Amino acid sequence: MSGGFVFSEKPIQIESGEGAYLYGEDGTEYLDFGASYAVASLGHSHPTVTEAVQEQAAKLTYVQASYPVDVRTELYEKLATLAPGDADNVWLCNSGTEANEAAMKFARSATGRSKIVATKRGFHGRTLGALAMTWKDKYKKPFEPLAGGVEFVPYGDGDALAEAVDEETAALFLEPVQGEGGIYPASAEYLRQAREVTEEAGAALVFDEIQTGVGRTGDLWACEGVGVAPDILTSAKGIANGLPLGATLVKDWIAEDSGDHGSTFSGGPVVCAAANATLDTVVDEDVPGNAAAVGEYLRSELEAASEEHDLPVREVRGVGLMIGIQVKRGANRVLKNLALSEQILALPAGRTVVRLLPPLVIDESHADQFVDSFVEVLG
């Protein structure tokens, strides 16, 4: 069997990237409106991140997390300072699914309970624990049986939360904006209800901010935009601008009885250097503010163009630069035409939603380029 059997390769060979653009081996320029599932938060080959990685790689590539290293300690302190509420205890890993696995284990250990409540349409990862909390059968069926004790409720239904979260519940897992499920933002009222029912039951409220975090929704963390702080927050994707890093941030009551957990590659110095540079840039240059402004502009232009040109679009929804366009015809065909005829790369979120997760540093000219191309493809 040849290598690369898991992913279906696209007919585009990528050679390099800079800012909001990727370049094929033949020199073709592609506007990247997917950022590899929100990973390239500052765009490709960002000079500050590149410099930090090169300097750290020349000094120390890796040492296990039981030995203090300045760059790792700096990231611990930075994330603790930036954490929502007082979820300022930090555990580092290599991916979003690992961050969610850790959150699941920490919640069960801290509460002494086993039941997990998750939501329909939710996506929390592909390892067996996180997969058990993921809704769609297509991700789960080939790998069953999975970890047990997970109950699913409709997303956005506060009454269902109140009924499901009880004295046997260890944690409630929520995405403040469902990504893979089709770009559905939760209301502030719903997230406040989630906070109330978990506090009443003594369960942990976990916000999965793997995709929404680090500025994508217009705030550093999506939960900050609605003023609700979780007991546990998970982050990954854009946190190190392309290098593999995940983080699980927890309150003291979780950390004090978190159980025995670890990872060989927890907080490697090179990825920590990338994350420090990324977070500093996000904060210092108000990248969330840009995401909010350009995201609002892009959504309004898409809605106006859809109406003006009578495009087969049912809805444009999202927050910041996390946008879903629900089309009347198949999303994959739209994406293929965008890539091959307009040199624009985006993502699906199910069969009918075109998902936009561009680098958070794009400007209105990039938004205009996408809208013009989208009109050309659908018109």
Side-chain angles (χ1 to χ4, degrees):
M1 180 180 290
S2 63
F5 70 95
V6 172
F7 295 99
S8 57
E9 291 188 350
K10 294 176 172 56
I12 298 171
Q13 179 91 14
I14 299 300
E15 181 76 16
S16 62
E18 183 176 0
Y21 293 93
L22 290 169
Y23 298 91
E25 61 177 353
D26 60 355
T28 302
E29 180 181 81
Y30 296 92
L31 178 60
D32 185 5
F33 258 50
S36 292
Y37 291 94
V39 165
S41 51
L42 298 179
H44 300 283
S45 303
H46 191 280
T48 303
V49 179
T50 300
E51 181 181 1
V53 168
Q54 290 174 336
E55 288 183 0
Q56 183 59 49
K59 184 166 58 175
L60 178 66
T61 303
Y62 182 73
V63 66
Q64 60 170 291
S66 57
Y67 296 107
V69 177
D70 286 346
V71 69
R72 184 189 294 125
T73 300
E74 180 184 349
L75 181 57
Y76 285 151
E77 294 173 350
K78 200 182 303 293
L79 284 170
T81 299
L82 297 175
D86 54 358
D88 54 6
N89 299 276
V90 182
W91 184 74
L92 299 175
C93 55
N94 312 286
S95 65
T97 192
E98 290 175 74
N100 281 332
E101 290 269 352
M104 192 179 192
K105 290 177 70 175
F106 294 160
R108 283 180 165 171
S109 177
T111 62
R113 306 169 181 178
S114 61
K115 178 180 172 181
I116 302 291
V117 177
T119 62
K120 297 178 180 180
R121 293 198 313 253
F123 183 91
H124 298 289
R126 295 177 185 266
T127 50
L128 290 179
L131 191 59
M133 302 185 293
T134 292
W135 169 247
K136 285 186 180 179
D137 281 343
K138 77 169 188 175
Y139 297 120
K140 300 191 293 188
K141 281 294 184 184
F143 310 109
E144 292 178 339
L146 305 175
V150 179
E151 179 179 334
F152 290 95
V153 294
Y155 188 74
D157 186 336
D159 291 337
L161 286 184
E163 185 174 346
V165 177
D166 55 25
E167 66 278 0
E168 297 179 356
T169 304
L172 166 62
F173 274 74
L174 289 177
E175 298 162 274
V177 182
Q178 288 189 322
E180 185 74 15
I183 312 297
Y184 289 97
S187 69
E189 180 184 4
Y190 178 63
L191 296 183
R192 284 194 291 268
Q193 288 174 311
R195 179 67 283 176
E196 290 170 3
V197 300
T198 49
E199 285 182 346
E200 289 174 4
L205 175 60
V206 183
F207 282 158
D208 177 340
E209 295 232 21
I210 305 301
Q211 196 166 129
T212 57
V214 198
R216 180 147 299 276
T217 64
D219 294 281
L220 187 63
W221 310 110
C223 62
E224 290 181 333
V226 295
V228 179
D231 299 293
I232 304 176
L233 180 141
T234 57
S235 179
K237 294 198 184 293
I239 197 171
N241 204 53
L243 273 71
L245 180 68
T248 305
L249 315 181
V250 308
K251 287 186 174 180
D252 287 345
W253 75 271
I254 300 287
E256 288 166 1
D257 197 9
S258 58
D260 186 13
H261 189 61
S263 170
T264 296
F265 291 104
S266 176
V270 174
V271 293
C272 285
N276 283 322
T278 300
L279 290 169
D280 285 344
T281 302
V282 166
V283 172
D284 294 346
E285 298 184 7
D286 190 20
V287 170
N290 185 69
V294 179
E296 182 178 1
Y297 175 79
L298 176 55
R299 290 193 305 277
S300 65
E301 290 297 298
L302 282 167
E303 289 169 350
S306 297
E307 183 175 350
E308 178 183 352
H309 299 279
D310 194 25
L311 299 180
V313 171
R314 297 185 186 276
E315 185 181 15
V316 178
R317 57 181 177 260
V319 57
L321 285 172
M322 188 173 181
I323 298 171
I325 310 168
Q326 187 160 0
V327 294
K328 297 178 182 179
R329 62 184 76 160
N332 284 327
R333 184 170 66 172
V334 175
L335 292 165
K336 180 179 179 181
N337 290 337
L338 278 170
L340 298 182
S341 66
E342 299 295 321
Q343 289 76 56
I344 293 183
L345 308 179
L347 301 162
R351 290 181 292 180
T352 63
V353 177
V354 174
R355 177 170 27 170
L356 308 183
L357 301 170
L360 306 181
V361 294
I362 66 165
D363 57 30
E364 290 185 1
S365 68
H366 297 115
D368 290 337
Q369 182 181 346
F370 177 85
V371 173
D372 291 345
S373 294
F374 189 71
V375 169
E376 185 69 23
V377 166
L378 266 72

